[in-house]
Amino acid sequence: MRVPLLDLKAQTASLRAAIDAAIARVVTSGHFILGPEVEGLEVELAALCGTRCAVGVSSGTDALLMSLWALGVGPGDEVVTTPYSFFATVGSIARLGARPVLCDVERGTLNLDCARAAALCTARTKAFVPVHLYGRMARLEVLRAACPRVPIIEDAAQAVGAERQGVRAGAVGLAGCLSFFPSKNLGAFGDGGMVLTSDQSFATRLRSLRAHGSTPGRKYHHEIVGGNFRLDALQAAILRAKLPHLESFSAARARNAARYRALLGGVPIELPPAEEPGERCVYNQFVIRAEKRDVLQDYLKQHGIGTEVYYPVPLHLQPCFAGLGYGPGAFPEAEDAARTSLALPIYPELEAPQLEYVAEQIRAFYGA
Ligand SMILES: Cc1ncc(COP(=O)(O)O)c(C=O)c1O
């Protein structure tokens, strides 16, 4: 049996008619830049995530960059974040000339240890950028209570629809950054992203920045310098065709996670922590921890099973961030996660026999 880590074709096939209709709508309208599809998606996602506004942008990376940029982050500023994430989290801070101040992650969730992050706050701290890794929200209530005046820019790229204490990912901080990279829970047919915010003037600034800093309603007049960071109308239309199914995708991911937990009990690996009361994890990834990770990955590959290591090198050990001065041993939890994590197939269209086969092969590897 073959079980890929992700099967985008299966999802496209199941929604083909709606997607084709969405694409045809844009082609017929001739409205390719911003316009009704982007505005429609903004309204629908703001409603789903619980914010007043949403601004469609070119990618999750650009959502982060623009949020920090709109906040005025620059040289001399510090931004506290995690060393265990996709590159863009720390990359966006560095690109603006600010200093990423890194803080280790929690052992179980691999999210930023918010109590320790709060302790790193100084007069130069311009923002926190916590990541809701793998679809589980970080404990932002801890940051808010300890440092109420420091804005939080949530990296919610992997967590659309996740919830904690009654609030959805992206709706806790000043801004929430979503990614529509195809492997995300809400994936486009290319790049795309969104900034969620309930601050109207922040949203207005983002709308200006994504269109070369032009003054809204006054074409070719620029009060600030921006760039081209727009979400494509075609991508927005495709995402709107998928959006009504997001809840069922998330439910299927959660069912798959529960099934893995049931089937992998007693195997000497660490499973992701169970959800806490009031927490809803959307399982963009289901990441186990295994001591013999590389050998296990190889074994599963030989048995037709796709897996992935998110992330093999923590960000403080990337050559481009050597100048930050963090060496090996600086963040033991992040480094241990890099050594032992392995993501298993969890996508919504994964069929029960496929999931059972994955669990069976893991059990066989351990002789369980
Ligand atoms: C945690 C995290 N942050 C940021 C990004 C960047 O998003 P994009 O690929 O849309 O630029 C991603 C995904 O790729 C991500 O997983």
Short mmCIF file of all heavy atoms in Angstrom, two decimals, residues 54-85:
data_model
loop_
_atom_site.label_atom_id
_atom_site.label_comp_id
_atom_site.label_asym_id
_atom_site.label_seq_id
_atom_site.Cartn_x
_atom_site.Cartn_y
_atom_site.Cartn_z
N ALA A 54 -10.00 41.51 7.68
CA ALA A 54 -9.01 40.58 7.14
C ALA A 54 -8.49 41.20 5.86
O ALA A 54 -9.24 41.84 5.12
CB ALA A 54 -9.65 39.22 6.87
N VAL A 55 -7.19 41.05 5.63
CA VAL A 55 -6.56 41.66 4.45
C VAL A 55 -5.82 40.57 3.68
O VAL A 55 -4.87 39.97 4.20
CB VAL A 55 -5.58 42.79 4.88
CG1 VAL A 55 -4.94 43.44 3.66
CG2 VAL A 55 -6.30 43.83 5.74
N GLY A 56 -6.28 40.30 2.48
CA GLY A 56 -5.68 39.24 1.66
C GLY A 56 -4.33 39.69 1.11
O GLY A 56 -4.22 40.77 0.53
N VAL A 57 -3.32 38.86 1.31
CA VAL A 57 -1.96 39.20 0.86
C VAL A 57 -1.35 38.03 0.10
O VAL A 57 -1.96 36.96 -0.03
CB VAL A 57 -1.07 39.64 2.05
CG1 VAL A 57 -1.63 40.89 2.73
CG2 VAL A 57 -0.92 38.52 3.08
N SER A 58 -0.12 38.26 -0.38
CA SER A 58 0.49 37.34 -1.33
C SER A 58 0.97 36.01 -0.75
O SER A 58 1.17 35.06 -1.51
CB SER A 58 1.65 38.06 -2.02
OG SER A 58 2.22 39.01 -1.15
N SER A 59 1.20 35.92 0.55
CA SER A 59 1.64 34.65 1.16
C SER A 59 1.59 34.79 2.67
O SER A 59 1.42 35.90 3.19
CB SER A 59 3.08 34.31 0.73
OG SER A 59 3.99 35.26 1.28
N GLY A 60 1.80 33.68 3.36
CA GLY A 60 1.90 33.73 4.82
C GLY A 60 3.13 34.49 5.25
O GLY A 60 3.12 35.23 6.24
N THR A 61 4.21 34.30 4.50
CA THR A 61 5.45 35.03 4.79
C THR A 61 5.19 36.53 4.69
O THR A 61 5.60 37.30 5.57
CB THR A 61 6.53 34.63 3.76
OG1 THR A 61 6.71 33.22 3.83
CG2 THR A 61 7.84 35.34 4.02
N ASP A 62 4.52 36.95 3.64
CA ASP A 62 4.25 38.38 3.47
C ASP A 62 3.26 38.89 4.52
O ASP A 62 3.32 40.05 4.93
CB ASP A 62 3.75 38.67 2.05
CG ASP A 62 4.87 38.47 1.03
OD1 ASP A 62 6.04 38.56 1.43
OD2 ASP A 62 4.57 38.22 -0.15
N ALA A 63 2.36 38.04 4.98
CA ALA A 63 1.45 38.43 6.06
C ALA A 63 2.25 38.79 7.31
O ALA A 63 1.98 39.80 7.98
CB ALA A 63 0.46 37.31 6.35
N LEU A 64 3.26 37.98 7.61
CA LEU A 64 4.11 38.25 8.77
C LEU A 64 4.94 39.51 8.55
O LEU A 64 5.00 40.40 9.41
CB LEU A 64 5.08 37.07 9.00
CG LEU A 64 4.51 35.80 9.59
CD1 LEU A 64 5.48 34.64 9.42
CD2 LEU A 64 4.18 35.99 11.07
N LEU A 65 5.58 39.58 7.39
CA LEU A 65 6.43 40.73 7.08
C LEU A 65 5.64 42.03 7.15
O LEU A 65 6.05 43.01 7.78
CB LEU A 65 7.05 40.56 5.69
CG LEU A 65 8.03 41.65 5.27
CD1 LEU A 65 9.38 41.43 5.94
CD2 LEU A 65 8.20 41.70 3.76
N MET A 66 4.47 42.02 6.53
CA MET A 66 3.66 43.24 6.47
C MET A 66 3.10 43.64 7.83
O MET A 66 2.99 44.82 8.15
CB MET A 66 2.51 43.05 5.49
CG MET A 66 2.99 42.94 4.06
SD MET A 66 1.63 42.52 3.01
CE MET A 66 0.73 44.06 3.03
N SER A 67 2.75 42.65 8.65
CA SER A 67 2.23 42.97 9.98
C SER A 67 3.31 43.65 10.81
O SER A 67 3.05 44.64 11.50
CB SER A 67 1.76 41.69 10.70
OG SER A 67 0.68 41.14 9.99
N LEU A 68 4.52 43.12 10.75
CA LEU A 68 5.62 43.71 11.52
C LEU A 68 5.98 45.08 10.94
O LEU A 68 6.27 46.03 11.67
CB LEU A 68 6.84 42.77 11.48
CG LEU A 68 6.64 41.43 12.22
CD1 LEU A 68 7.72 40.43 11.84
CD2 LEU A 68 6.65 41.65 13.73
N TRP A 69 5.94 45.19 9.65
CA TRP A 69 6.24 46.43 8.94
C TRP A 69 5.20 47.51 9.31
O TRP A 69 5.53 48.65 9.65
CB TRP A 69 6.18 46.12 7.45
CG TRP A 69 6.71 47.12 6.48
CD1 TRP A 69 7.40 48.27 6.75
CD2 TRP A 69 6.58 47.02 5.06
NE1 TRP A 69 7.71 48.90 5.58
CE2 TRP A 69 7.23 48.15 4.53
CE3 TRP A 69 6.01 46.11 4.18
CZ2 TRP A 69 7.30 48.39 3.16
CZ3 TRP A 69 6.08 46.33 2.83
CH2 TRP A 69 6.72 47.47 2.32
N ALA A 70 3.92 47.10 9.29
CA ALA A 70 2.85 48.04 9.62
C ALA A 70 2.95 48.51 11.07
O ALA A 70 2.50 49.60 11.42
CB ALA A 70 1.49 47.39 9.38
N LEU A 71 3.55 47.68 11.89
CA LEU A 71 3.73 48.01 13.30
C LEU A 71 4.93 48.94 13.48
O LEU A 71 5.15 49.49 14.56
CB LEU A 71 3.95 46.69 14.07
CG LEU A 71 3.81 46.64 15.56
CD1 LEU A 71 2.43 47.13 15.99
CD2 LEU A 71 4.01 45.20 16.03
N GLY A 72 5.73 49.10 12.43
CA GLY A 72 6.89 49.99 12.50
C GLY A 72 8.14 49.30 13.03
O GLY A 72 9.08 49.96 13.47
N VAL A 73 8.15 47.97 12.99
CA VAL A 73 9.33 47.23 13.46
C VAL A 73 10.53 47.52 12.55
O VAL A 73 10.40 47.49 11.32
CB VAL A 73 9.03 45.70 13.49
CG1 VAL A 73 10.29 44.89 13.70
CG2 VAL A 73 8.00 45.40 14.57
N GLY A 74 11.66 47.80 13.15
CA GLY A 74 12.85 48.11 12.35
C GLY A 74 14.11 48.00 13.17
O GLY A 74 14.09 47.45 14.29
N PRO A 75 15.22 48.53 12.64
CA PRO A 75 16.50 48.44 13.35
C PRO A 75 16.41 49.01 14.76
O PRO A 75 15.74 50.01 14.99
CB PRO A 75 17.44 49.29 12.47
CG PRO A 75 16.83 49.22 11.10
CD PRO A 75 15.34 49.18 11.32
N GLY A 76 17.05 48.30 15.70
CA GLY A 76 17.02 48.74 17.10
C GLY A 76 15.91 48.08 17.91
O GLY A 76 15.93 48.11 19.13
N ASP A 77 14.93 47.48 17.20
CA ASP A 77 13.83 46.82 17.90
C ASP A 77 14.15 45.34 18.14
O ASP A 77 14.92 44.73 17.38
CB ASP A 77 12.54 46.88 17.06
CG ASP A 77 12.04 48.30 16.90
OD1 ASP A 77 12.27 49.12 17.82
OD2 ASP A 77 11.43 48.59 15.84
N GLU A 78 13.50 44.81 19.17
CA GLU A 78 13.58 43.37 19.43
C GLU A 78 12.20 42.76 19.24
O GLU A 78 11.20 43.38 19.58
CB GLU A 78 14.03 43.11 20.88
CG GLU A 78 15.46 43.58 21.16
CD GLU A 78 15.87 43.38 22.62
OE1 GLU A 78 15.02 42.97 23.44
OE2 GLU A 78 17.04 43.63 22.90
N VAL A 79 12.17 41.56 18.69
CA VAL A 79 10.90 40.83 18.55
C VAL A 79 11.13 39.42 19.10
O VAL A 79 12.05 38.71 18.67
CB VAL A 79 10.45 40.77 17.07
CG1 VAL A 79 9.17 39.94 16.94
CG2 VAL A 79 10.22 42.17 16.52
N VAL A 80 10.32 39.04 20.08
CA VAL A 80 10.52 37.76 20.76
C VAL A 80 9.73 36.67 20.04
O VAL A 80 8.52 36.82 19.79
CB VAL A 80 10.07 37.85 22.23
CG1 VAL A 80 10.27 36.51 22.94
CG2 VAL A 80 10.83 38.96 22.96
N THR A 81 10.42 35.60 19.69
CA THR A 81 9.76 34.50 18.96
C THR A 81 10.44 33.17 19.25
O THR A 81 11.32 33.08 20.11
CB THR A 81 9.69 34.81 17.45
OG1 THR A 81 8.82 33.85 16.82
CG2 THR A 81 11.05 34.72 16.78
N THR A 82 10.01 32.14 18.51
CA THR A 82 10.48 30.77 18.73
C THR A 82 11.56 30.36 17.72
O THR A 82 11.51 30.75 16.56
CB THR A 82 9.28 29.80 18.59
OG1 THR A 82 9.77 28.47 18.41
CG2 THR A 82 8.43 30.12 17.38
N PRO A 83 12.50 29.52 18.16
CA PRO A 83 13.49 28.99 17.20
C PRO A 83 12.97 27.76 16.47
O PRO A 83 13.65 27.24 15.59
CB PRO A 83 14.65 28.60 18.11
CG PRO A 83 14.01 28.24 19.41
CD PRO A 83 12.77 29.09 19.54
N TYR A 84 11.74 27.29 16.83
CA TYR A 84 11.26 26.05 16.23
C TYR A 84 10.02 26.32 15.41
O TYR A 84 8.89 26.22 15.88
CB TYR A 84 10.98 25.01 17.34
CG TYR A 84 10.91 23.62 16.78
CD1 TYR A 84 12.05 23.06 16.19
CD2 TYR A 84 9.75 22.89 16.77
CE1 TYR A 84 12.00 21.80 15.63
CE2 TYR A 84 9.69 21.63 16.21
CZ TYR A 84 10.82 21.10 15.64
OH TYR A 84 10.78 19.85 15.06
N SER A 85 10.24 26.69 14.16
CA SER A 85 9.15 27.04 13.26
C SER A 85 9.68 26.99 11.84
O SER A 85 10.86 26.73 11.60
CB SER A 85 8.66 28.46 13.59
OG SER A 85 7.59 28.82 12.72
#
